[in-house]
Amino acid sequence: QVQLVESGGGLVQAGGSLRLSCAASGRTFSIYGRTFSSYDMGWFRQPPGKDREFVAAITRSGGTTFYGDSVKGRFTISRDNAKKTVYLQMNSLKAEDTAVYRCAAEQSFAGDSTFLTRDTVYDYWGQGTQVAVAS
């Protein structure tokens, strides 16, 4: 089992920045010998009254990243495998970025550029952190 815990959300003015973190832990690392670096990681968000949408994803080595069209050029996903943490740096925030942000982990990615954009492929999810952007 993998536990994911997000942090870093809050209230920010439009144009401001936030950095979200997602820390991983759990029995799968200590008992089954798996490492955080064997999981591809994604960030998704769900604005109030709307469906969940893809934000960003990063492959297990950190070598490849993917972004949703609405955040390209403003958000950056990164990871520190030694710390078992994935980050989402969010700059130039807009009111429409207001949402609950959740991170997720999966192990099946094989190269399809759209694979990690689909929430159904992820096995583990965090509880989420609220981001509110005031206009």
Side-chain angles (χ1 to χ4, degrees), residues 34-35 38-40 60 105-109 115 121 123-124:
R34 295 177 186 163
T35 64
S38 65
Y39 289 88
D40 309 298
R60 57 203 67 179
E106 72 84 40
Q107 289 187 293
S108 303
F109 175 69
F115 184 83
V121 308
D123 303 306
Y124 302 103

Side-chain angles (χ1 to χ4, degrees), residues 73-134:
R74 299 188 299 123
F75 290 11
T76 302
I77 189 171
S78 61
R79 66 190 296 160
D80 185 333
N81 285 341
K83 294 183 178 179
K84 298 197 290 290
T85 301
V86 63
Y87 304 98
L88 186 68
Q89 178 66 43
M90 306 187 296
N91 298 330
S92 302
L93 282 161
K94 306 175 182 179
E96 50 263 43
D97 294 317
T98 294
V100 174
Y101 285 71
R102 299 177 71 185
C103 65
E106 72 84 40
Q107 289 187 293
S108 303
F109 175 69
D112 175 358
S113 62
T114 66
F115 184 83
L116 292 178
T117 70
R118 301 175 223 152
D119 59 355
T120 53
V121 308
Y122 290 85
D123 303 306
Y124 302 103
W125 290 83
Q127 291 297 308
T129 185
Q130 176 72 53
V131 171
V133 183

